[in-house]
Amino acid sequence: MAAKNDQVLSGGSVGAVLAQRARFDVPLRLQSGAELPSFELAYETYGRLNPARSNAVLVCHALNASHHIAGHYADDPENVGWWDNMVGPGKPLDTERFFVVGVNNLGGCHGSTGPMSINPATGKPWGGDFPVVTVEDWVAAQARLADFLGVQRFAAVMGGSLGAMQALQWTISFPERVGHALVIAATPKLSAQNIAFNEVARQAITTDPDFHGGHYYEHGVVPRRGLRVARMIGHITYLSDDVMMEKFGRELRRGTPGFDFNIDFEIESYLRYQGDKFSTYFDANTYLRITKALDYFDPAAAHGGDLSMALAPARARFLVVSFTSDWRFTPARSREIVKALLDNRRDVSYLEIDAPHGHDAFLMDDARYFAAVRAWFGNMLLEGPEQ
Amino acid sequence: MAAKNDQVLSGGSVGAVLAQRARFDVPLRLQSGAELPSFELAYETYGRLNPARSNAVLVCHALNASHHIAGHYADDPENVGWWDNMVGPGKPLDTERFFVVGVNNLGGCHGSTGPMSINPATGKPWGGDFPVVTVEDWVAAQARLADFLGVQRFAAVMGGSLGAMQALQWTISFPERVGHALVIAATPKLSAQNIAFNEVARQAITTDPDFHGGHYYEHGVVPRRGLRVARMIGHITYLSDDVMMEKFGRELRRGTPGFDFNIDFEIESYLRYQGDKFSTYFDANTYLRITKALDYFDPAAAHGGDLSMALAPARARFLVVSFTSDWRFTPARSREIVKALLDNRRDVSYLEIDAPHGHDAFLMDDARYFAAVRAWFGNMLLEGPEQ
């Protein structure tokens, strides 16, 4: 199995990459009714767009990631892209064949226009006044980027978790612009429990005395305590109980119970570390907006709850992947998507991977999962000459 | 089924009850090594201790409950005991036959000695200096109360969740003093995920700027924001995803998305309400200590992880009950207890109730669950003449 693993997980790095920025001066009307007079999107590309412009793949990010999918920055070699195991020369999404596009979503905190940007109306950072954005808004903004890059139609749009929701939305919003959709660890809408976890995270942030209604930049502070707790909650939902038990168990860091409130168990150390790290680099206003985008996503809502009707416009070929131990978005949620696509006689492959890692499995090396993605891209027919 | 339900769930109220308090002046050595020179326990009793003193049942409480199990207070008729559906005349635990004892645990905030009590060494509230207490400590203190009440041996010790851990510990600490043990919605030890949820709750509290290292009483504040978030996290783990979806769904309170951070979904309203309510009456220092007691509970640890060895001293007859939808302490955790008891050839009945409510099911009216508890107590043979 080791040899097979090596083969499946082989491939190189795209190497040093450059983040770029595109500016859009045609106003963007958001789903909320608010209008952004102009905006910028941070993005990266790997590989080359072929002359037929038929080999572009858009990779959408989930909660805390960004446009930096693969490779590293020349001046920051440790900063490796978040899906570097998946994207690169010879990797499942092979940059020798495909032109891969990563984009930081609108409202983000990694370079695209968001709450930390200057609000042209006030000359100060938007802060709490930045509009609430939705998956539909993100896809609309990404379509502008596609135009800017000269991509009329993506060979594929791909994402995991919240990224998968964007891939799904692409097939609804722009059915003619998506050849294939890779929908990984997805759900067609959040459950009440999913929303509950998001809400507690938001409450931790908005009740932090340093939040100041989202205008904390002006006060020279950030709601770090709230963001830290929010991230800790998130991490619990990303892992399965089993893998958490296997990784951390009930190991006592000090050998015996401390009978105090310092760290006793390894899992406490892990959570505090993750919370601390996140709270130093992620923007709380962005976190709030991303969780709202998750909560609101529900393409079936406009069709009386009928997901099959919602997906009727889709024309793409689908690969839907779920993971058995994912209790955040269970395989049952993915099967709802598969069923709705089959109702529409769409071309859909469904893969349920027996993986222990929980929701985070979509980011992990797994021989069967990676082999399937590799094969799916490998079998993909592109329009026109490839080179 | 309605008729059967009525029958099973029938029974009256114990009526107006009085909380009492017992003082213990022999020092209590805690598991941490700390010593309480004296302490008080708040308790209530219902029914009458028979002349043979053989009909006493101790009911142990879980995280946020107290000694007030059944009935109401004459001056506060709305304040009904937390297990009033289970305990009363003609109810599953019938106070016409049994003498029922409820006790607020050491470190609590409902009348027993705890962080809000005066530290005799300083003349000020203990606050953050109150020792960390364990399930073993609680059981040791409860044994003092039993002595005080003239109860040498309980007919039964009973509890759900953390209360069930106390029932289990009684059978290990004082095997000759427990005739029967009712272990409901229990686990022999927390998983890493269980500890993780507790830790996030603790971090929310201890990083609240109003926490002041647990000495907030002196500052005239309480860490309400942290306690609120802690309670919200707890509530998510008490309910199943299914019942949450059924109860709250994705209903929008304002009919349409608000595109802001006010309440959109019903579940948000529920969580904020529960968090607000809890933060007005519960003590944060107590919450911290109760979660630590949960984390530390692991009777098998002293036996190299062998639960069968840990339960070898037990002599009680056991009724173990779990609920299919309880994802906090799953039925599998209860079956570990059952297996360890069977390894010791103990008398154990196991009931896995197909209930939708999640962990909270142990507090809910359920015809099969209540019928089983009723029958179990009904068949219980007491020593000596009953009257």
mmCIF file of all heavy atoms in Angstrom, chain A residues 331-368:
data_model
loop_
_atom_site.group_PDB
_atom_site.id
_atom_site.type_symbol
_atom_site.label_atom_id
_atom_site.label_comp_id
_atom_site.label_asym_id
_atom_site.label_seq_id
_atom_site.Cartn_x
_atom_site.Cartn_y
_atom_site.Cartn_z
ATOM 1 N N PRO A 331 -22.104 12.330 5.224
ATOM 2 C CA PRO A 331 -22.346 11.793 3.881
ATOM 3 C C PRO A 331 -23.818 11.910 3.464
ATOM 4 O O PRO A 331 -24.101 12.115 2.280
ATOM 5 C CB PRO A 331 -21.900 10.333 4.019
ATOM 6 C CG PRO A 331 -20.807 10.373 5.038
ATOM 7 C CD PRO A 331 -21.263 11.410 6.034
ATOM 8 N N ALA A 332 -24.732 11.813 4.419
ATOM 9 C CA ALA A 332 -26.158 11.925 4.072
ATOM 10 C C ALA A 332 -26.453 13.254 3.387
ATOM 11 O O ALA A 332 -27.302 13.333 2.492
ATOM 12 C CB ALA A 332 -27.018 11.775 5.334
ATOM 13 N N ARG A 333 -25.752 14.304 3.800
ATOM 14 C CA ARG A 333 -25.963 15.621 3.175
ATOM 15 C C ARG A 333 -25.476 15.620 1.732
ATOM 16 O O ARG A 333 -26.099 16.214 0.855
ATOM 17 C CB ARG A 333 -25.263 16.745 3.968
ATOM 18 C CG ARG A 333 -25.460 16.716 5.479
ATOM 19 C CD ARG A 333 -26.925 16.572 5.907
ATOM 20 N NE ARG A 333 -27.831 17.524 5.308
ATOM 21 C CZ ARG A 333 -28.072 18.745 5.790
ATOM 22 N NH1 ARG A 333 -27.480 19.160 6.889
ATOM 23 N NH2 ARG A 333 -28.913 19.561 5.193
ATOM 24 N N SER A 334 -24.336 14.947 1.495
ATOM 25 C CA SER A 334 -23.837 14.843 0.117
ATOM 26 C C SER A 334 -24.794 14.030 -0.737
ATOM 27 O O SER A 334 -25.016 14.333 -1.921
ATOM 28 C CB SER A 334 -22.443 14.200 0.095
ATOM 29 O OG SER A 334 -21.452 15.129 0.482
ATOM 30 N N ARG A 335 -25.371 12.990 -0.139
ATOM 31 C CA ARG A 335 -26.290 12.142 -0.920
ATOM 32 C C ARG A 335 -27.549 12.909 -1.320
ATOM 33 O O ARG A 335 -28.152 12.617 -2.351
ATOM 34 C CB ARG A 335 -26.630 10.876 -0.131
ATOM 35 C CG ARG A 335 -25.431 9.912 -0.056
ATOM 36 C CD ARG A 335 -25.849 8.514 0.396
ATOM 37 N NE ARG A 335 -26.338 8.493 1.760
ATOM 38 C CZ ARG A 335 -25.599 8.177 2.841
ATOM 39 N NH1 ARG A 335 -24.334 7.841 2.709
ATOM 40 N NH2 ARG A 335 -26.136 8.179 4.034
ATOM 41 N N GLU A 336 -27.925 13.909 -0.515
ATOM 42 C CA GLU A 336 -29.054 14.765 -0.924
ATOM 43 C C GLU A 336 -28.721 15.482 -2.236
ATOM 44 O O GLU A 336 -29.572 15.623 -3.116
ATOM 45 C CB GLU A 336 -29.350 15.828 0.149
ATOM 46 C CG GLU A 336 -29.917 15.283 1.443
ATOM 47 C CD GLU A 336 -30.052 16.385 2.501
ATOM 48 O OE1 GLU A 336 -30.386 17.544 2.156
ATOM 49 O OE2 GLU A 336 -29.781 16.098 3.683
ATOM 50 N N ILE A 337 -27.466 15.946 -2.327
ATOM 51 C CA ILE A 337 -27.041 16.635 -3.548
ATOM 52 C C ILE A 337 -27.040 15.661 -4.724
ATOM 53 O O ILE A 337 -27.542 15.971 -5.809
ATOM 54 C CB ILE A 337 -25.636 17.255 -3.349
ATOM 55 C CG1 ILE A 337 -25.681 18.322 -2.247
ATOM 56 C CG2 ILE A 337 -25.101 17.828 -4.660
ATOM 57 C CD1 ILE A 337 -24.312 18.810 -1.797
ATOM 58 N N VAL A 338 -26.495 14.467 -4.481
ATOM 59 C CA VAL A 338 -26.426 13.459 -5.541
ATOM 60 C C VAL A 338 -27.838 13.122 -6.034
ATOM 61 O O VAL A 338 -28.095 13.068 -7.241
ATOM 62 C CB VAL A 338 -25.710 12.192 -5.036
ATOM 63 C CG1 VAL A 338 -25.818 11.067 -6.061
ATOM 64 C CG2 VAL A 338 -24.247 12.506 -4.728
ATOM 65 N N LYS A 339 -28.740 12.946 -5.089
ATOM 66 C CA LYS A 339 -30.109 12.592 -5.474
ATOM 67 C C LYS A 339 -30.736 13.690 -6.335
ATOM 68 O O LYS A 339 -31.369 13.420 -7.360
ATOM 69 C CB LYS A 339 -30.975 12.353 -4.236
ATOM 70 C CG LYS A 339 -32.356 11.857 -4.603
ATOM 71 C CD LYS A 339 -33.394 12.023 -3.526
ATOM 72 C CE LYS A 339 -34.791 11.699 -4.065
ATOM 73 N NZ LYS A 339 -35.311 12.726 -4.975
ATOM 74 N N ALA A 340 -30.538 14.932 -5.909
ATOM 75 C CA ALA A 340 -31.126 16.054 -6.655
ATOM 76 C C ALA A 340 -30.532 16.136 -8.060
ATOM 77 O O ALA A 340 -31.235 16.462 -9.023
ATOM 78 C CB ALA A 340 -30.909 17.360 -5.892
ATOM 79 N N LEU A 341 -29.244 15.818 -8.181
ATOM 80 C CA LEU A 341 -28.615 15.844 -9.505
ATOM 81 C C LEU A 341 -29.144 14.698 -10.367
ATOM 82 O O LEU A 341 -29.400 14.873 -11.568
ATOM 83 C CB LEU A 341 -27.092 15.753 -9.360
ATOM 84 C CG LEU A 341 -26.438 17.002 -8.769
ATOM 85 C CD1 LEU A 341 -24.989 16.721 -8.397
ATOM 86 C CD2 LEU A 341 -26.518 18.177 -9.750
ATOM 87 N N LEU A 342 -29.317 13.530 -9.756
ATOM 88 C CA LEU A 342 -29.852 12.381 -10.505
ATOM 89 C C LEU A 342 -31.289 12.639 -10.935
ATOM 90 O O LEU A 342 -31.694 12.257 -12.038
ATOM 91 C CB LEU A 342 -29.770 11.107 -9.657
ATOM 92 C CG LEU A 342 -28.343 10.589 -9.402
ATOM 93 C CD1 LEU A 342 -28.373 9.385 -8.463
ATOM 94 C CD2 LEU A 342 -27.645 10.225 -10.715
ATOM 95 N N ASP A 343 -32.060 13.325 -10.066
ATOM 96 C CA ASP A 343 -33.426 13.709 -10.442
ATOM 97 C C ASP A 343 -33.411 14.506 -11.743
ATOM 98 O O ASP A 343 -34.363 14.474 -12.522
ATOM 99 C CB ASP A 343 -34.074 14.566 -9.347
ATOM 100 C CG ASP A 343 -34.493 13.745 -8.139
ATOM 101 O OD1 ASP A 343 -34.528 12.501 -8.251
ATOM 102 O OD2 ASP A 343 -34.769 14.343 -7.078
ATOM 103 N N ASN A 344 -32.332 15.254 -11.928
ATOM 104 C CA ASN A 344 -32.198 16.079 -13.129
ATOM 105 C C ASN A 344 -31.416 15.361 -14.236
ATOM 106 O O ASN A 344 -31.020 15.993 -15.219
ATOM 107 C CB ASN A 344 -31.504 17.401 -12.783
ATOM 108 C CG ASN A 344 -32.417 18.342 -12.004
ATOM 109 O OD1 ASN A 344 -33.432 18.778 -12.526
ATOM 110 N ND2 ASN A 344 -32.070 18.625 -10.758
ATOM 111 N N ARG A 345 -31.176 14.060 -14.043
ATOM 112 C CA ARG A 345 -30.427 13.254 -15.017
ATOM 113 C C ARG A 345 -29.074 13.870 -15.342
ATOM 114 O O ARG A 345 -28.612 13.860 -16.478
ATOM 115 C CB ARG A 345 -31.231 13.077 -16.313
ATOM 116 C CG ARG A 345 -32.506 12.297 -16.072
ATOM 117 C CD ARG A 345 -33.490 12.505 -17.211
ATOM 118 N NE ARG A 345 -34.821 12.059 -16.824
ATOM 119 C CZ ARG A 345 -35.285 10.820 -16.990
ATOM 120 N NH1 ARG A 345 -34.533 9.910 -17.540
ATOM 121 N NH2 ARG A 345 -36.500 10.509 -16.597
ATOM 122 N N ARG A 346 -28.455 14.420 -14.340
ATOM 123 C CA ARG A 346 -27.114 14.958 -14.533
ATOM 124 C C ARG A 346 -26.101 13.838 -14.410
ATOM 125 O O ARG A 346 -26.358 12.785 -13.817
ATOM 126 C CB ARG A 346 -26.810 16.047 -13.493
ATOM 127 C CG ARG A 346 -27.628 17.311 -13.671
ATOM 128 C CD ARG A 346 -26.996 18.305 -14.661
ATOM 129 N NE ARG A 346 -26.990 17.857 -16.052
ATOM 130 C CZ ARG A 346 -28.029 17.953 -16.890
ATOM 131 N NH1 ARG A 346 -29.163 18.482 -16.514
ATOM 132 N NH2 ARG A 346 -27.916 17.526 -18.118
ATOM 133 N N ASP A 347 -24.931 14.079 -14.969
ATOM 134 C CA ASP A 347 -23.808 13.147 -14.919
ATOM 135 C C ASP A 347 -23.106 13.357 -13.575
ATOM 136 O O ASP A 347 -22.490 14.388 -13.351
ATOM 137 C CB ASP A 347 -22.876 13.483 -16.096
ATOM 138 C CG ASP A 347 -21.704 12.528 -16.200
ATOM 139 O OD1 ASP A 347 -21.319 11.922 -15.175
ATOM 140 O OD2 ASP A 347 -21.160 12.414 -17.304
ATOM 141 N N VAL A 348 -23.247 12.373 -12.666
ATOM 142 C CA VAL A 348 -22.672 12.568 -11.335
ATOM 143 C C VAL A 348 -21.997 11.287 -10.842
ATOM 144 O O VAL A 348 -22.554 10.189 -10.962
ATOM 145 C CB VAL A 348 -23.750 13.056 -10.321
ATOM 146 C CG1 VAL A 348 -24.980 12.180 -10.350
ATOM 147 C CG2 VAL A 348 -23.188 13.147 -8.912
ATOM 148 N N SER A 349 -20.787 11.448 -10.357
ATOM 149 C CA SER A 349 -20.092 10.353 -9.681
ATOM 150 C C SER A 349 -20.063 10.682 -8.199
ATOM 151 O O SER A 349 -19.809 11.828 -7.812
ATOM 152 C CB SER A 349 -18.647 10.224 -10.176
ATOM 153 O OG SER A 349 -18.626 9.924 -11.542
ATOM 154 N N TYR A 350 -20.337 9.698 -7.388
ATOM 155 C CA TYR A 350 -20.351 9.927 -5.943
ATOM 156 C C TYR A 350 -19.381 8.977 -5.264
ATOM 157 O O TYR A 350 -19.369 7.777 -5.528
ATOM 158 C CB TYR A 350 -21.760 9.720 -5.380
ATOM 159 C CG TYR A 350 -21.807 9.824 -3.869
ATOM 160 C CD1 TYR A 350 -21.364 10.981 -3.226
ATOM 161 C CD2 TYR A 350 -22.270 8.771 -3.081
ATOM 162 C CE1 TYR A 350 -21.387 11.073 -1.840
ATOM 163 C CE2 TYR A 350 -22.308 8.863 -1.696
ATOM 164 C CZ TYR A 350 -21.865 10.017 -1.081
ATOM 165 O OH TYR A 350 -21.885 10.112 0.279
ATOM 166 N N LEU A 351 -18.594 9.542 -4.376
ATOM 167 C CA LEU A 351 -17.556 8.782 -3.698
ATOM 168 C C LEU A 351 -17.697 9.040 -2.213
ATOM 169 O O LEU A 351 -17.649 10.196 -1.766
ATOM 170 C CB LEU A 351 -16.203 9.307 -4.191
ATOM 171 C CG LEU A 351 -14.957 8.494 -3.920
ATOM 172 C CD1 LEU A 351 -15.039 7.140 -4.614
ATOM 173 C CD2 LEU A 351 -13.750 9.273 -4.433
ATOM 174 N N GLU A 352 -17.879 7.970 -1.442
ATOM 175 C CA GLU A 352 -17.960 8.110 0.009
ATOM 176 C C GLU A 352 -16.703 7.455 0.578
ATOM 177 O O GLU A 352 -16.568 6.235 0.543
ATOM 178 C CB GLU A 352 -19.236 7.429 0.523
ATOM 179 C CG GLU A 352 -19.611 7.829 1.922
ATOM 180 C CD GLU A 352 -21.044 7.397 2.281
ATOM 181 O OE1 GLU A 352 -21.984 7.734 1.533
ATOM 182 O OE2 GLU A 352 -21.199 6.711 3.302
ATOM 183 N N ILE A 353 -15.802 8.271 1.054
ATOM 184 C CA ILE A 353 -14.494 7.775 1.493
ATOM 185 C C ILE A 353 -14.571 7.378 2.964
ATOM 186 O O ILE A 353 -14.991 8.176 3.804
ATOM 187 C CB ILE A 353 -13.411 8.864 1.305
ATOM 188 C CG1 ILE A 353 -13.303 9.271 -0.173
ATOM 189 C CG2 ILE A 353 -12.067 8.402 1.870
ATOM 190 C CD1 ILE A 353 -12.510 8.347 -1.030
ATOM 191 N N ASP A 354 -14.127 6.167 3.248
ATOM 192 C CA ASP A 354 -14.085 5.677 4.630
ATOM 193 C C ASP A 354 -12.822 6.237 5.289
ATOM 194 O O ASP A 354 -11.773 5.608 5.284
ATOM 195 C CB ASP A 354 -14.074 4.147 4.616
ATOM 196 C CG ASP A 354 -14.179 3.572 6.021
ATOM 197 O OD1 ASP A 354 -14.430 4.343 6.968
ATOM 198 O OD2 ASP A 354 -14.006 2.353 6.156
ATOM 199 N N ALA A 355 -12.936 7.447 5.829
ATOM 200 C CA ALA A 355 -11.778 8.150 6.394
ATOM 201 C C ALA A 355 -12.077 8.512 7.839
ATOM 202 O O ALA A 355 -13.207 8.843 8.172
ATOM 203 C CB ALA A 355 -11.495 9.420 5.599
ATOM 204 N N PRO A 356 -11.084 8.457 8.707
ATOM 205 C CA PRO A 356 -11.341 8.680 10.133
ATOM 206 C C PRO A 356 -11.323 10.146 10.570
ATOM 207 O O PRO A 356 -11.699 10.453 11.692
ATOM 208 C CB PRO A 356 -10.184 7.931 10.803
ATOM 209 C CG PRO A 356 -9.057 8.036 9.820
ATOM 210 C CD PRO A 356 -9.696 8.022 8.459
ATOM 211 N N HIS A 357 -10.893 11.064 9.700
ATOM 212 C CA HIS A 357 -10.489 12.391 10.172
ATOM 213 C C HIS A 357 -11.611 13.383 10.394
ATOM 214 O O HIS A 357 -11.379 14.497 10.830
ATOM 215 C CB HIS A 357 -9.483 12.999 9.199
ATOM 216 C CG HIS A 357 -8.310 12.111 8.928
ATOM 217 N ND1 HIS A 357 -8.264 11.272 7.838
ATOM 218 C CD2 HIS A 357 -7.188 11.888 9.631
ATOM 219 C CE1 HIS A 357 -7.140 10.583 7.868
ATOM 220 N NE2 HIS A 357 -6.467 10.921 8.937
ATOM 221 N N GLY A 358 -12.835 13.023 10.039
ATOM 222 C CA GLY A 358 -13.909 13.998 10.176
ATOM 223 C C GLY A 358 -13.936 14.957 9.002
ATOM 224 O O GLY A 358 -13.445 14.639 7.910
ATOM 225 N N HIS A 359 -14.504 16.148 9.235
ATOM 226 C CA HIS A 359 -14.676 17.127 8.160
ATOM 227 C C HIS A 359 -13.341 17.509 7.519
ATOM 228 O O HIS A 359 -13.258 17.719 6.316
ATOM 229 C CB HIS A 359 -15.355 18.367 8.746
ATOM 230 C CG HIS A 359 -15.813 19.349 7.713
ATOM 231 N ND1 HIS A 359 -16.708 19.024 6.726
ATOM 232 C CD2 HIS A 359 -15.506 20.655 7.516
ATOM 233 C CE1 HIS A 359 -16.931 20.094 5.960
ATOM 234 N NE2 HIS A 359 -16.216 21.086 6.423
ATOM 235 N N ASP A 360 -12.297 17.581 8.329
ATOM 236 C CA ASP A 360 -10.970 17.956 7.827
ATOM 237 C C ASP A 360 -10.400 16.969 6.823
ATOM 238 O O ASP A 360 -9.387 17.270 6.178
ATOM 239 C CB ASP A 360 -9.992 18.091 8.997
ATOM 240 C CG ASP A 360 -9.801 19.543 9.408
ATOM 241 O OD1 ASP A 360 -10.430 20.430 8.783
ATOM 242 O OD2 ASP A 360 -9.019 19.803 10.339
ATOM 243 N N ALA A 361 -11.031 15.812 6.680
ATOM 244 C CA ALA A 361 -10.522 14.792 5.755
ATOM 245 C C ALA A 361 -10.364 15.347 4.347
ATOM 246 O O ALA A 361 -9.512 14.894 3.593
ATOM 247 C CB ALA A 361 -11.445 13.581 5.746
ATOM 248 N N PHE A 362 -11.162 16.359 4.001
ATOM 249 C CA PHE A 362 -11.082 16.858 2.622
ATOM 250 C C PHE A 362 -9.742 17.527 2.336
ATOM 251 O O PHE A 362 -9.364 17.679 1.181
ATOM 252 C CB PHE A 362 -12.279 17.768 2.294
ATOM 253 C CG PHE A 362 -12.128 19.229 2.639
ATOM 254 C CD1 PHE A 362 -11.521 20.121 1.750
ATOM 255 C CD2 PHE A 362 -12.616 19.724 3.840
ATOM 256 C CE1 PHE A 362 -11.410 21.481 2.063
ATOM 257 C CE2 PHE A 362 -12.514 21.072 4.153
ATOM 258 C CZ PHE A 362 -11.906 21.953 3.270
ATOM 259 N N LEU A 363 -9.020 17.888 3.377
ATOM 260 C CA LEU A 363 -7.711 18.513 3.209
ATOM 261 C C LEU A 363 -6.556 17.516 3.343
ATOM 262 O O LEU A 363 -5.397 17.883 3.141
ATOM 263 C CB LEU A 363 -7.524 19.616 4.264
ATOM 264 C CG LEU A 363 -8.443 20.822 4.119
ATOM 265 C CD1 LEU A 363 -8.406 21.676 5.376
ATOM 266 C CD2 LEU A 363 -8.037 21.647 2.893
ATOM 267 N N MET A 364 -6.871 16.287 3.701
ATOM 268 C CA MET A 364 -5.838 15.315 4.056
ATOM 269 C C MET A 364 -5.453 14.445 2.870
ATOM 270 O O MET A 364 -6.279 14.144 2.016
ATOM 271 C CB MET A 364 -6.362 14.376 5.157
ATOM 272 C CG MET A 364 -6.936 15.064 6.344
ATOM 273 S SD MET A 364 -5.682 15.329 7.598
ATOM 274 C CE MET A 364 -6.656 16.200 8.821
ATOM 275 N N ASP A 365 -4.216 13.989 2.912
ATOM 276 C CA ASP A 365 -3.781 12.977 1.951
ATOM 277 C C ASP A 365 -4.529 11.683 2.249
ATOM 278 O O ASP A 365 -4.488 11.190 3.371
ATOM 279 C CB ASP A 365 -2.281 12.678 2.128
ATOM 280 C CG ASP A 365 -1.430 13.901 1.828
ATOM 281 O OD1 ASP A 365 -1.914 14.803 1.126
ATOM 282 O OD2 ASP A 365 -0.290 13.937 2.317
ATOM 283 N N ASP A 366 -5.207 11.177 1.273
ATOM 284 C CA ASP A 366 -5.867 9.880 1.413
ATOM 285 C C ASP A 366 -5.783 9.240 0.034
ATOM 286 O O ASP A 366 -6.244 9.820 -0.960
ATOM 287 C CB ASP A 366 -7.328 10.056 1.852
ATOM 288 C CG ASP A 366 -8.066 8.728 1.936
ATOM 289 O OD1 ASP A 366 -8.338 8.116 0.864
ATOM 290 O OD2 ASP A 366 -8.351 8.294 3.058
ATOM 291 N N ALA A 367 -5.179 8.066 -0.017
ATOM 292 C CA ALA A 367 -4.842 7.455 -1.312
ATOM 293 C C ALA A 367 -6.075 7.302 -2.205
ATOM 294 O O ALA A 367 -6.043 7.654 -3.387
ATOM 295 C CB ALA A 367 -4.170 6.103 -1.085
ATOM 296 N N ARG A 368 -7.193 6.813 -1.628
ATOM 297 C CA ARG A 368 -8.369 6.565 -2.478
ATOM 298 C C ARG A 368 -8.987 7.872 -2.966
ATOM 299 O O ARG A 368 -9.380 8.017 -4.123
ATOM 300 C CB ARG A 368 -9.398 5.744 -1.705
ATOM 301 C CG ARG A 368 -8.968 4.302 -1.507
ATOM 302 C CD ARG A 368 -9.641 3.707 -0.299
ATOM 303 N NE ARG A 368 -9.341 4.504 0.897
ATOM 304 C CZ ARG A 368 -9.865 4.274 2.103
ATOM 305 N NH1 ARG A 368 -10.711 3.295 2.256
ATOM 306 N NH2 ARG A 368 -9.536 5.045 3.131
#
